[in-house]
Amino acid sequence: MKIELNNVSKAYGQGDARFWALREATFTASSGDFVSIVGPSGSGKSTMLHILGCLDQPSEGTVCVDDQDTTSLNDAQLSRIRRDHIGFVFQQYFLNASMTVLQNVLLPMDLAGVKEGRKKAAVALDVVGLSHRLRSFPAELSGGEQQRCAIARALANRPSLLLADEPTGSLDSKSGRAVLEMMISLNAERDLGLVIVTHDEAVASTAHVTLNVLDGRIS
Amino acid sequence: MNWIILANARKRKARLVMTVGGIAIGVATLFALLSLSAGIERALDREISGMGANILLLPEGCPYELTLALMQGSDAFEHIPTALLPDIRAVENVDVSVPVVVGKARVNGQLTSIYGTTQVLLELRQWGIDRIEGAVIGSDVAEKLGVGEGDTLTIRLYAEVQLPITRVLPPTRGRDDTFVFLALDTAQQILGLDEKLSAVLIRTSSVGATTQAQYTLGRMSDIQAVPPSDVFARLMELFASIKQTLILITGIAIVAGVLTTMNTMTMAVYERKKEIGILRALGSTRRNVFRLFVHESLLLSLLGGLVGLAAGFVATQFLPRTSGFGLEATPQFSFLYVVICLTVAVIVGVTSSLYPAMAAARTQPIKTLREL
């Protein structure tokens, strides 16, 4: 699977208040790649990640998923791309507090109509080392465990691309390192494309490619 | 999808209870109203058809009030002169004519309905006895006064009479249970209604002859001839108008329930913005989110409907049995009422969820995640 950003720009607001968060970004991410996006806060890193993950649409330029232009797709088609091909990991984990660890991972499988979802969700949690926490609720987990649960959820539908927005930002250094090592090993073992937005130079240095974003432009 | 709804409900128990409770109250009211109305209709039918007469001869006045007074054992201001009885019996096709006088008197010190009649009444009532001697009493009277066969009743109003109880009737669940039956002349003496009758029950020789007999009897002075079926139909019309008003009030309560549930669900959408944003980010389509909220509302309303049915059933068991025209009405339950109530609950649930579900479906995942 391949996602291409071609001269993508993203603006917010109208008229004089119009603000360009991203300018003429061109970039490709494929299965097996490991790309880090670095830059100061407000530079446009997350905007780029959201457009890459079909969560947001560009104001200008095109986004192609396997050579298909997604700017002409409707909401349902974009949702299906997210569901079937892309996994998201966020800094704040965004787990559903009313669901158990197992149910959080089961959720995307249920949306995709996966059969034997519970069994597969348990396997995904085993991969991230949480097989002993299936019936726990997110509030009962440490930050590192919650992020590992979020990774298991992102991997639930076996995506080709894992997009992580500062995944270690809320974790202590030890937990952060463990989470990062897990994602790197998944990238290597599963041919999983990995795009990480990070402030952490150490994280960026482990990536195959590093993109520096400054004032909305890739430098 | 159900497990997602269940997980959410587990976290928001208070909201679940309020939503289900709101729908349950409306459904319980509707179910109780329908079953009690059916009970009153049935009681009225049973009483009127239980008279065993094709024609009711009543004094001049409102036939419906007079019929109700006859059923309830209350004295009316108007009466039929006893002297008319030979003329009535002489009318062609009049097979059985039963003179009746009713009113309330002190029986062993308690105000009780008395029913004076002749032995001919036994041709219309299936009581399994050959004669009305002394006092024949209904089962409720026996219970109320704490008396039984062989005891003596002291009946007093304008005159005082002591009568032995010769028979306690088995329960009929009708007004007969509440009467003391005695000889016509004795009742007239007690009630101060010498030579006066409350009504005459007529049975014609055949159903086909009823119209002709009614016409002839209706032309006699000071009386009116009314078929019980007409009285029943008219009373049912009166009752229907009361029922419609009650249903209208229940309808308003249900509409208020819809708006309350809609408000609750809309608030739930705002409260669950994060959950919706995550769902959308994970690949849930707008349609998925819309269906999730409608489905959730549908399940909650069905649950509310079932709780309401149970609550309505329990409520009918505690409400007074004597209601509507002073008749003892046992609520009548029907599968149709269950279907009606659950359908109303489902309509309430789906209607109230449409706007919140649309609001939830419009959620932009990226906007929501940025705000978190």
Side-chain angles (χ1 to χ4, degrees):
Chain A
M1 188 206 171
K2 184 175 69 175
I3 299 186
E4 293 172 271
L5 269 56
N6 300 311
N7 284 317
V8 165
S9 298
K10 178 70 183 180
Y12 296 105
Q14 304 257 317
D16 292 343
R18 199 167 168 89
F19 161 73
W20 290 94
L22 193 65
R23 296 301 297 258
E24 296 166 356
T26 297
F27 157 67
T28 302
S30 305
S31 306
D33 287 351
F34 177 12
V35 180
S36 67
I37 304 173
V38 295
S41 294
S43 59
K45 308 184 296 292
S46 295
T47 301
M48 196 159 111
L49 194 79
H50 294 151
I51 291 173
L52 200 60
C54 299
L55 274 173
D56 207 354
Q57 288 283 62
S59 306
E60 292 173 5
T62 57
V63 180
C64 295
V65 175
D66 286 337
D67 299 322
Q68 185 186 13
D69 185 359
T70 62
T71 48
S72 58
L73 299 182
N74 61 27
D75 179 80
Q77 290 166 318
L78 290 171
S79 297
R80 272 193 285 276
I81 291 175
R82 286 200 298 274
R83 187 190 70 190
D84 298 334
H85 301 294
I86 300 168
F88 289 97
V89 177
F90 301 96
Q91 183 180 351
Q92 300 95 326
Y93 328 127
F94 290 152
L95 297 174
N96 191 320
S98 60
M99 294 180 184
T100 63
V101 164
L102 182 73
Q103 287 173 333
N104 266 286
V105 179
L106 182 61
L107 188 60
M109 292 180 171
D110 199 68
L111 291 173
V114 172
K115 286 179 183 168
E116 296 186 320
R118 282 182 185 273
K119 204 170 153 186
K120 289 175 182 169
V123 170
L125 283 162
D126 189 40
V127 169
V128 298
L130 283 179
S131 53
H132 62 298
R133 292 292 220 164
L134 300 184
R135 296 189 188 285
S136 301
F137 285 90
E140 298 163 358
L141 305 182
S142 69
E145 286 176 321
Q146 287 190 55
Q147 194 59 297
R148 281 192 276 151
C149 176
I151 292 170
R153 182 182 65 186
L155 298 174
N157 287 334
R158 304 189 72 84
S160 309
L161 200 60
L162 184 64
L163 306 181
D165 194 353
E166 302 196 35
T168 60
S170 299
L171 303 177
D172 59 69
S173 58
K174 189 181 168 193
S175 303
R177 197 161 49 248
V179 164
L180 186 66
E181 281 169 8
M182 180 178 293
M183 289 197 287
I184 293 169
S185 73
L186 288 166
N187 164 249
E189 291 166 14
R190 294 192 174 192
D191 197 31
L192 178 73
L194 180 60
V195 180
I196 297 182
V197 166
T198 183
H199 281 296
D200 191 336
E201 288 296 327
V203 174
S205 64
T206 56
H208 305 159
V209 178
T210 298
L211 301 175
N212 280 289
V213 183
L214 189 65
D215 295 332
R217 292 181 187 275
I218 298 173
S219 60
Chain B
M1 196 184 273
N2 290 344
W3 70 267
I4 299 175
I5 294 164
L6 198 65
N8 177 57
R10 204 166 39 208
K11 192 187 170 195
R12 297 175 176 90
K13 290 191 186 82
R15 175 156 299 195
L16 172 80
V17 169
M18 283 189 280
T19 310
V20 169
I23 294 168
I25 288 169
V27 169
T29 311
L30 182 63
F31 186 66
L33 176 67
L34 289 172
S35 9
L36 288 173
S37 301
I40 291 168
E41 285 172 18
R42 186 163 169 167
L44 197 58
D45 184 32
R46 183 187 60 214
E47 291 301 324
I48 289 180
S49 60
M51 287 178 182
N54 304 112
I55 299 169
L56 275 178
L57 284 188
L58 299 166
E60 289 198 324
C62 173
Y64 315 112
E65 278 181 22
L66 290 165
T67 306
L68 282 174
L70 180 67
M71 287 193 300
Q72 292 165 1
S74 306
D75 188 16
F77 289 113
E78 298 84 7
H79 300 94
I80 300 171
T82 310
L84 277 179
L85 271 177
D87 294 341
I88 292 166
R89 285 173 179 146
V91 171
E92 197 178 355
N93 292 319
V94 170
D95 189 27
V96 177
S97 61
V98 185
V100 174
V101 66
V102 294
K104 292 196 190 292
R106 293 272 167 196
V107 179
N108 285 5
Q110 293 196 45
L111 205 58
T112 307
S113 296
I114 64 170
Y115 194 108
T117 186
T118 62
Q119 305 300 331
V120 193
L121 180 70
L122 297 175
E123 293 186 34
L124 304 183
R125 301 285 212 277
Q126 308 300 315
W127 287 343
I129 57 174
D130 329 326
R131 292 192 62 74
I132 299 174
E133 283 178 325
V136 173
I137 64 172
S139 55
D140 285 0
V141 176
E143 196 182 326
K144 184 175 86 171
L145 301 177
V147 293
E149 288 173 13
D151 292 337
T152 302
L153 292 181
T154 303
I155 309 172
R156 181 168 57 84
L157 190 64
Y158 290 98
E160 184 172 312
V161 174
Q162 290 196 326
L163 293 171
I165 300 169
T166 56
R167 185 69 185 258
V168 176
L169 296 171
T172 62
R173 300 183 72 188
R175 293 297 299 181
D176 284 358
D177 294 348
T178 64
F179 281 114
V180 173
F181 295 90
L182 58 158
L184 181 67
D185 53 351
T186 311
Q188 284 173 325
Q189 190 188 341
I190 294 166
L191 295 170
L193 295 173
D194 290 339
E195 302 302 315
K196 288 176 183 172
L197 299 171
S198 301
V200 181
L201 312 181
I202 302 288
R203 193 175 71 192
T204 52
S205 52
S206 67
V207 177
T210 305
T211 311
Q212 180 58 43
Q214 183 198 344
Y215 177 74
T216 311
L217 289 165
R219 294 186 63 187
M220 296 172 78
S221 60
D222 300 332
I223 59 170
Q224 54 183 328
V226 187
S229 57
D230 282 9
V231 177
F232 178 70
R234 177 65 184 143
L235 289 176
M236 286 316 299
E237 278 175 27
L238 280 172
F239 182 60
S241 63
I242 298 167
K243 192 172 150 187
Q244 277 167 8
T245 309
L246 291 173
I247 286 177
L248 185 69
I249 293 167
T250 308
I252 292 167
I254 287 169
V255 169
V258 169
L259 294 174
T260 309
T261 311
M262 193 183 282
N263 184 43
T264 309
M265 294 294 288
T266 308
M267 291 306 291
V269 168
Y270 289 109
E271 204 176 82
R272 290 161 65 184
K273 220 169 179 181
K274 178 182 166 185
E275 184 194 323
I276 299 164
I278 295 167
L279 271 172
R280 296 278 286 125
L282 292 176
S284 197
T285 61
R286 286 189 172 129
R287 198 173 171 185
N288 291 146
V289 174
F290 180 83
R291 280 175 56 192
L292 178 70
F293 272 80
V294 173
H295 193 78
E296 180 172 328
S297 190
L298 194 64
L299 286 184
L300 290 183
S301 55
L302 267 177
L303 183 62
L306 292 172
V307 172
L309 285 176
F313 177 78
V314 171
T316 56
Q317 305 305 305
F318 286 100
L319 287 169
R321 285 282 178 268
T322 306
S323 56
F325 307 115
L327 302 174
E328 183 175 309
T330 311
Q332 295 296 308
F333 303 106
S334 151
F335 182 66
L336 178 67
Y337 301 155
V338 173
V339 172
I340 289 172
C341 288
L342 289 180
T343 306
V344 168
V346 166
I347 291 169
V348 167
V350 173
T351 310
S352 58
S353 72
L354 290 178
Y355 172 73
M358 280 191 282
R362 277 198 298 264
T363 301
Q364 297 285 344
I366 188 61
K367 205 176 160 194
T368 310
L369 294 177
R370 269 209 197 98
E371 287 168 3
L372 293 173

